């Protein structure tokens, strides 16, 4: 969590928060947005898998439309290596 908080402080981010937890019961996904950043914070007891990464990418495209923002995923849950590689290749910063 400290990397996430350090990043927020370093870039002086003031977040507008969207709670997306209604989309699923076992996992919580919170979306933070600023002028230059789109941050997804994932909390769950299950691993973050490639199918989750694909859904996250699709969701970010719907939110962004044509805007250019820095995409960030922050999670305390275990991250599948395929999901991590996919998100990094798609331009996400993993914290």
């Amino acid at each position: 969590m400290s990397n996430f908080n350090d990043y927020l402080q370093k870039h002086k981010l003031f977040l507008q928060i969207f709670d997306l937890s209604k989309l699923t019961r076992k996992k919580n996904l919170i979306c933070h947005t600023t002028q230059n950043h789109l941050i997804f914070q994932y909390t769950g007891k299950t691993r973050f898998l490639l199918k989750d990464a694909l859904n996250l990418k699709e969701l970010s495209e719907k939110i962004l439309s044509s805007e250019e923002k820095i995409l960030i995923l922050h999670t305390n849950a275990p991250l599948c290596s395929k999901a991590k590689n996919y998100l990094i290749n798609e331009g996400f910063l993993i914290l």
Side-chain angles (χ1 to χ4, degrees):
M1 187 70 136
S2 64
N3 288 344
F4 182 65
N5 291 332
D6 293 343
Y7 186 89
L8 294 178
Q9 289 176 358
K10 179 181 175 186
H11 295 284
K12 298 178 183 166
L13 298 178
F14 302 100
L15 304 175
Q16 180 182 12
I17 300 172
F18 300 96
D19 186 0
L20 305 175
S21 61
K22 293 180 182 177
L23 299 176
T24 180
R25 295 182 189 161
K26 295 181 182 178
K27 305 170 188 177
N28 287 333
L29 184 64
I30 299 172
C31 177
H32 310 276
T33 184
T34 67
Q35 187 174 4
N36 299 324
H37 295 78
L38 180 59
I39 303 170
F40 293 99
Q41 187 172 9
Y42 171 82
T43 56
K45 294 181 180 178
T46 60
R47 293 183 70 185
F48 191 89
L49 302 173
L50 182 56
K51 69 176 184 169
D52 299 317
L54 295 171
N55 290 333
L56 185 65
K57 178 62 178 163
E58 182 180 328
L59 181 61
S60 68
E61 289 173 350
K62 288 179 182 176
I63 292 172
L64 290 178
S65 302
S66 62
E67 297 178 47
E68 284 292 319
K69 292 192 180 204
I70 298 171
L71 301 169
I72 299 171
L73 172 66
H74 173 258
T75 181
N76 290 335
L79 185 60
C80 166
S81 61
K82 290 179 184 176
K84 181 178 181 180
N85 290 335
Y86 173 79
L87 290 173
I88 290 172
N89 288 337
E90 291 295 326
F92 278 79
L93 177 61
I94 309 293
L95 296 179

